[in-house]
Amino acid sequence: MTAPVLHPLEISDRPEFITRLQAAFDAGAAAFGSESDEPVISDAEIRQSMDQPGAATWDVRHDGRRVGGAVVAIGEDGRRASLDLLFIDTAEQGRGLGQRVWACIEARYPAVEVWRTMTPYEDTRNIHFYVNTCGFHIVEFFHPGHPDPGEPPRAGSAGEASGADLMFAFEKRRSPADDARSDNAAAAAGRSAR
């Protein structure tokens, strides 16, 4: 089975990328009963993520087809990063591509020791993916009583929560020892396969 490949997104491909990302996020939201006439994530939010300092936008291809994408932002020291956006096109979901794409992202940034990402509290599929498949840990729960300091205050009465207000923050910590263990395990597997 071939591995997915990360391609830097061309500026001319941004509109299609945004449409595909929105379709995947909207399908995910619909799966947990959240439907709206507006996209779950706006063009402006996606572009803001893509244009932030340290950001890289990846068009994911598998067997020559576009199958997903990601936006990552690497901190100034190169050891901290955020996975701002990750999606697999709806027609490609359920084939294990998400896990393989995440492995490609980690391999692309071996110096990153701490990855962060977020997902809505009701998106159990994403929570399962990040915690059980990719090895992230829930580190914070944002809600009206404990708002995300990176988000502007929302209009509404105190204690009123919208889906955007209820988010889990995840972290995955890696160290050079993790890479050494992975290398040793791969070498041992290679010896035992002979």
Side-chain angles (χ1 to χ4, degrees), residues 38-147:
E38 296 295 318
V40 170
I41 184 167
S42 72
D43 288 23
E45 290 169 308
I46 297 167
R47 289 179 188 281
Q48 180 181 12
S49 182
M50 295 162 84
D51 294 337
Q52 70 182 302
T57 303
W58 299 102
D59 189 25
V60 179
R61 298 181 191 166
H62 185 253
D63 294 335
R65 297 181 331 274
R66 288 186 162 126
V67 297
V71 178
V72 300
I74 307 302
E76 287 183 22
D77 67 359
R79 296 187 336 214
R80 296 185 67 81
S82 65
L83 175 63
D84 287 356
L85 301 166
L86 173 63
F87 75 97
I88 301 299
D89 290 303
T90 54
E92 304 293 337
Q93 293 178 5
R95 300 178 187 176
L97 279 171
Q99 181 177 10
R100 296 194 328 251
V101 168
W102 172 244
C104 289
I105 292 169
E106 281 191 299
R108 175 73 176 84
Y109 299 100
V112 172
E113 296 173 9
V114 180
W115 283 96
R116 282 189 63 98
T117 196
M118 293 176 58
T119 202
Y121 84 101
E122 69 271 7
D123 194 339
T124 56
R125 187 170 142 182
N126 272 359
I127 294 166
H128 163 75
F129 174 74
Y130 288 120
V131 173
N132 298 329
T133 302
C134 298
F136 281 80
H137 298 277
I138 297 170
V139 294
E140 201 160 8
F141 177 56
F142 296 116
H143 57 85
H146 180 73

